[in-house]
Amino acid sequence: MKKDAQGRIHFKVVFWGPSLSGKTTCLRWIYDEVTGLDKGGFTSVEDPTGRTLYFDYTPISATGKVIFDVFTVAGQKRHRHQRKIVLQGTDGIIFVADSSRDQLQANLESLEELKGYLGDKIHSEIPILILLNKRDLPDAMERNALVEALQADSLPIYESIAIKGLGVKRAFQALSREVLLKRLYKQELLPKSS
């Protein structure tokens, strides 16, 4: 949380997860489809195939006085250093897990990396929720099995199909509310699961 020269409060939210889990798709859907928000430009640093090289970024505001600076991270293993830089100063995290059975190991490695950077700050200081994306895939893991494998049963869980926007806005709203409560009011409201 920081204040700018105009007195607006900025919160940093990061979409984190393995490569191709849907982080950019989630943010792009919020940017393109959610109405009633003031949005700045959409910045994307990507390779020629459209994969994120460094990060995606857009500022989003519902009130004009509170701005969420929303980032995604590059999920490929070779971008570990960039992810660590983007994560600095984070107020809230949406971990985007790929529901595909063959992506379980990538999910686990990405979550382990995040825990390595933040340690005990996850959830106690920095709100986090798990967004189980790609729920429409034929090989999508059963919800409880995926949550158990991620050892995320103590975290809020949301489901999504990001390419259709299903569940994305709801998860973003839940995390935004939790960030506001934790940072401005020092409370915790987010339910364990939804």
Side-chain angles (χ1 to χ4, degrees):
M1 179 176 77
K2 65 179 184 178
K3 280 193 176 182
D4 65 19
Q6 290 82 33
R8 298 174 300 188
I9 300 171
H10 288 255
F11 295 101
K12 184 175 183 180
V13 171
V14 174
F15 281 86
W16 184 282
S19 183
L20 299 174
S21 62
K23 302 173 297 292
T24 297
T25 304
C26 287
L27 184 55
R28 182 56 85 176
W29 189 86
I30 291 168
Y31 184 80
D32 290 341
E33 302 297 331
V34 177
T35 59
L37 299 173
D38 291 327
K39 303 168 207 166
F42 192 98
T43 301
S44 187
V45 182
E46 56 190 35
D47 70 14
T49 67
R51 292 183 72 180
T52 304
L53 275 178
Y54 196 71
F55 63 83
D56 302 305
Y57 164 74
T58 188
I60 297 173
S61 176
T63 68
K65 287 291 183 186
V66 174
I67 297 171
F68 289 93
D69 293 312
V70 188
F71 292 81
T72 69
V73 295
Q76 301 96 316
K77 290 182 181 184
R78 69 182 182 270
H79 297 302
R80 184 180 184 103
H81 180 69
Q82 288 98 313
R83 283 192 294 278
K84 186 175 182 181
I85 292 169
V86 172
L87 191 61
Q88 292 175 355
T90 298
D91 294 299
I93 298 165
I94 296 177
F95 182 88
V96 182
D98 189 321
S99 293
S100 178
R101 189 167 302 281
D102 67 355
Q103 293 302 307
L104 178 58
Q105 190 58 39
N107 288 324
L108 294 172
E109 289 171 6
S110 182
L111 190 54
E112 206 50 44
E113 179 185 351
L114 180 63
K115 289 177 182 177
Y117 290 143
L118 297 179
D120 294 338
K121 290 182 182 178
I122 290 182
H123 204 58
S124 64
E125 293 178 37
I126 299 173
I128 181 173
L129 65 77
I130 306 292
L131 185 61
L132 306 177
N133 192 29
K134 303 183 184 181
R135 298 306 295 157
D136 56 334
L137 292 178
D139 70 334
M141 290 182 69
E142 193 270 328
R143 174 188 167 120
N144 290 342
L146 183 51
V147 170
E148 184 178 325
L150 294 171
Q151 298 178 353
D153 55 342
S154 65
L155 297 174
I157 307 294
Y158 288 79
E159 297 184 24
S160 70
I161 303 172
I163 59 171
K164 297 178 180 176
L166 298 176
V168 175
K169 178 181 175 184
R170 189 167 172 232
F172 183 75
Q173 288 173 323
L175 185 76
S176 300
R177 182 178 63 241
E178 180 70 6
V179 166
L180 287 171
L181 288 170
K182 193 167 281 264
R183 294 293 189 220
L184 289 181
Y185 305 108
K186 310 291 188 235
Q187 296 178 26
E188 191 167 334
L189 184 66
L190 201 58
K192 262 179 58 176
S193 200
S194 177

